[in-house]
Amino acid sequence: MQAHTNWLPIHSICIKRFGLTMAGVAVGITISSPLGLPCSPSNSEMCSTGIKIWNNNNDFGFLCGPSGTIVDYQACSCKNCCHVNPGKSDCP
């Protein structure tokens, strides 16, 4: 299960299975790293402009593995600074 850190508003939800009604509830979701998140194309090095809810929305470089998920990454401490060099992604 992938984890994200963010609050998602839920408005007027009825959960019939449990017979509950929830209104104005916020659900917290946590992400500790991008490992395992989906990516494409497989077997490639890329940069991301950040995940809004992780690493202060800073860039990160990552390796998209053969199954289309992130298998390695390097978190950057800046925005719009990651670049891909032959064979790897870099943060300045």
Side-chain angles (χ1 to χ4, degrees):
M1 179 176 157
Q2 62 190 31
H4 299 281
T5 303
N6 201 358
W7 289 99
L8 305 172
I10 300 175
H11 300 286
S12 301
I13 294 178
C14 288
I15 305 173
K16 292 183 180 182
R17 181 175 179 192
F18 299 106
L20 300 174
T21 301
M22 298 167 46
V25 174
V27 176
I29 303 171
T30 308
I31 182 171
S32 58
S33 84
L35 290 175
L37 293 176
C39 57
S40 180
S42 299
N43 298 316
S44 60
E45 290 273 347
M46 291 180 268
C47 287
S48 172
T49 55
I51 299 174
K52 190 177 240 182
I53 53 179
W54 177 76
N55 190 32
N56 296 318
N57 197 26
N58 289 329
D59 292 2
F60 65 97
F62 65 93
L63 173 61
C64 186
S67 62
T69 59
I70 296 175
V71 295
D72 194 17
Y73 71 93
Q74 176 186 2
C76 302
S77 59
C78 48
K79 292 178 182 12
N80 301 313
C81 62
C82 182
H83 57 276
V84 177
N85 289 323
K88 69 177 205 160
S89 55
D90 283 318
C91 300

